[in-house]
């Protein structure tokens, strides 16, 4: 017999931003929902770093809005574009373009703040919050007692309950070492990063150094400091940057390492970087590590044979170079909630696997491919060698290229240089070879003349 929505129960393990987003959504859809978390609410907010920068664009914000949730668009500084610089071997300054976000904005909100607010709202509306570190053994009775059990414990946690998909998982190890730190001291006016674009501090800045890695600065909403800036760096294996990142052991040292890095390698942006200051009230405002991009099968079973579904980073972990992880998790959560709200039967294996396959097809497969493009994966080298110069020549293509961070789907079918050329022509109206023949290497990037106000 079909159960009524009001009597259905759901358990979510993990109170990161993906888990609490799904929990609130299911609660609003009439489920009785319990969230299990290995930390209490205060510790989730104040004792850990943010999981990542979590920059999101229009499609992911649309998923949050569809669940009736605040996207923070009225509180977070808005990104209106991405300004790219690429230096090749021997530091040759090659590519400079500025892509405007076309019809959407980027927002990077502290995952701790977002999860905290949603968790408060969840409990105010009658959701049950249980502080318990769930193990595979204790998950069994939880899954037995609930109609739907979602595991959103991040990349570690209970992820091993879900097998790795060997076809979709292409890397045996992380492709970069990461360092991130959030800082204050810089506004968002046109005078900030003015040498990069007319939009100045409203555009995030991304620099790619072929021999070292990648470095990004973008406006951020920090849980304590409010509007601020985040740095995120990627070091290639064996690079000098990798050694520098490894030395970080505090917010202060991470900040110093980033300033030295800009002095030594990315001097076109140095004055802005030197104007930034550490967020003294948050000792967890930095993070280092690495992410192996992994796609798991979305459905697992406990020892007693009860089904559980993977959500967020537990299901798919992305290197953050194309900003896909948080976006993917939120979209997956929204799709799952929308489907569960109208589903009248049991949440059996077929239902769970079909929803997961739909999510992979609708977002995740494309997001993984765009991540590989931005990681300069050799498999996409010839495509990248067309796309980045094309973006330099044509502003519409620059917008389309950075737009893949918002909607990666167009890249799903681009698997050859012919397909890449056809996409360039589709976006610009110009034949790709002709357009690319106009490309001229930058020679020397414009340097910042920013003067910090004392
Ligand atoms: C450096 C970096 C930068 C990033 N930048 C971006 C970006 O710009 N854009 C973007 O979209 N994505 C980005 N990401 C990815 C994004 O941050 C993550 O995808 C997202 O925050 C993951 O959220 P989650 O809720 O799935 O997992 P998590 O935030 O990891 O939450 C999991 C929760 O489960 C809890 N937990 C773990 N084990 C258990 C257990 N056994 N029992 C109970 N609870 C448990 C944990 O304590 C945690 O609270 C970035 C990631 C990194 C590392």
């Amino acid at each position: 017999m079909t159960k009524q929505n009001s009597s259905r129960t759901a358990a979510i393990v993990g109170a990161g931003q993906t888990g609490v987003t799904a929990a609130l959504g299911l609660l609003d859809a009439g489920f009785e929902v319990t969230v299990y978390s290995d930390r209490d609410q205060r510790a989730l907010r104040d004792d850990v770093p943010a999981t990542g920068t979590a920059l999101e664009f229009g499609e992911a914000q649309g998923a949050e809005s569809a669940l009736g949730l605040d996207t923070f668009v009225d509180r977070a500084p808005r990104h209106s574009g991405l300004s790219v610089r690429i230096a090749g071997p021997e530091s040759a300054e090659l590519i400079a373009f500025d892509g405007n976000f076309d019809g959407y904005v980027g927002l990077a909100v502290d995952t701790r703040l977002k999860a905290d607010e949603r968790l408060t709202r969840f409990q105010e509306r009658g959701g049950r919050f249980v502080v318990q570190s769930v193990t595979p053994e204790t998950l069994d009775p939880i899954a037995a007692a609930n109609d739907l059990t979602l595991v959103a414990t991040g990349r570690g946690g209970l992820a091993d309950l879900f097998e790795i998909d060997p076809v979709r998982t292409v890397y045996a190890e992380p492709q970069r070492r990461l360092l991130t730190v959030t800082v204050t001291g810089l506004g968002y006016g046109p005078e900030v990063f003015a040498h990069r674009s007319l939009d100045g501090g409203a555009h995030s800045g991304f620099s790619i150094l072929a021999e070292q890695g990648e470095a990004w600065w973008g406006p951020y909403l920090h849980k304590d400091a409010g509007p601020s800036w985040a740095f995120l760096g990627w070091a290639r294996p064996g690079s000098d940057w990798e050694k520098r990142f490894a030395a970080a052991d505090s917010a202060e040292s991470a900040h110093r390492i980033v300033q030295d890095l800009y002095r030594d390698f990315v001097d076109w942006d140095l004055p802005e970087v030197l104007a930034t200051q550490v967020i003294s009230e948050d000792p967890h405002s930095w993070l280092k590590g690495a992410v192996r991009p992994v796609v798991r099968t979305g459905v697992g079973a406990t020892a007693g044979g009860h089904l559980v579904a993977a959500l967020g980073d537990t299901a798919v972990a992305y290197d953050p170079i194309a900003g896909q992880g948080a976006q993917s998790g939120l979209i997956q959560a929204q799709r799952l909630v929308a489907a569960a709200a109208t589903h009248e039967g049991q949440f059996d294996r077929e239902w769970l696997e079909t929803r997961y396959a739909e999510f992979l097809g609708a977002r995740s497969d494309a997001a993984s491919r765009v991540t590989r493009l931005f990681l300069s994966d050799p498999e996409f080298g010839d495509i990248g060698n067309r796309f980045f110069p094309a973006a330099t020549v044509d502003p519409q293509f620059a917008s389309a290229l950075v737009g893949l961070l918002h909607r990666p789907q167009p890249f799903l079918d681009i698997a050859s240089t012919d397909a890449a050329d056809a996409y360039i022509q589709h976006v610009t109206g110009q034949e790709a070879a002709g357009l690319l023949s106009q490309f001229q290497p930058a020679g020397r990037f414009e340097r910042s003349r920013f003067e910090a106000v004392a």
Side-chain angles (χ1 to χ4, degrees), residues 254-269:
H255 185 234
R256 215 170 27 249
I257 287 164
V258 173
Q259 291 191 325
D260 289 345
L261 190 92
Y262 272 71
R263 193 177 285 111
D264 296 343
F265 293 93
V266 199
D267 67 325
W268 47 91
D269 291 340

Side-chain angles (χ1 to χ4, degrees), residues 147-230:
D147 295 308
L148 179 62
T149 300
L150 307 178
V151 179
T153 54
R155 288 182 279 120
L158 297 171
D160 286 344
L161 282 171
F162 306 91
E163 282 176 24
I164 290 179
D165 178 333
V167 175
R168 289 186 164 87
T169 303
V170 296
Y171 300 116
E173 50 201 35
Q175 299 300 291
R176 300 283 191 276
R177 304 304 299 182
L178 307 171
L179 178 67
T180 176
V181 60
T182 307
V183 295
T184 56
L186 201 58
Y188 312 105
E191 73 287 358
V192 174
F193 292 123
H195 61 296
R196 278 183 170 260
S197 83
L198 292 176
D199 279 34
H203 281 199
S204 42
F206 190 45
S207 296
I208 301 174
L209 278 73
E211 289 163 342
Q212 295 292 338
E214 299 83 7
W216 175 90
W217 279 102
Y220 186 75
L221 185 70
H222 181 273
K223 70 181 175 79
D224 305 317
S228 47
W229 281 80

Side-chain angles (χ1 to χ4, degrees), residues 13-19 36-39 44 51-56 111 132-135 152-155 157-158 178 180 232 287 291 311-314 320 323-328:
V13 188
Q17 73 165 28
T18 320
Y36 294 87
S37 166
D38 57 355
R39 292 173 192 273
L44 284 169
T51 310
T53 316
L55 174 59
E56 284 174 54
T111 53
Q132 176 187 335
S133 182
V134 176
T135 64
T153 54
R155 288 182 279 120
L158 297 171
L178 307 171
T180 176
L232 180 48
L287 183 67
V291 181
L311 183 66
D313 276 12
T314 307
Q324 293 302 309
Q327 301 198 82
S328 178

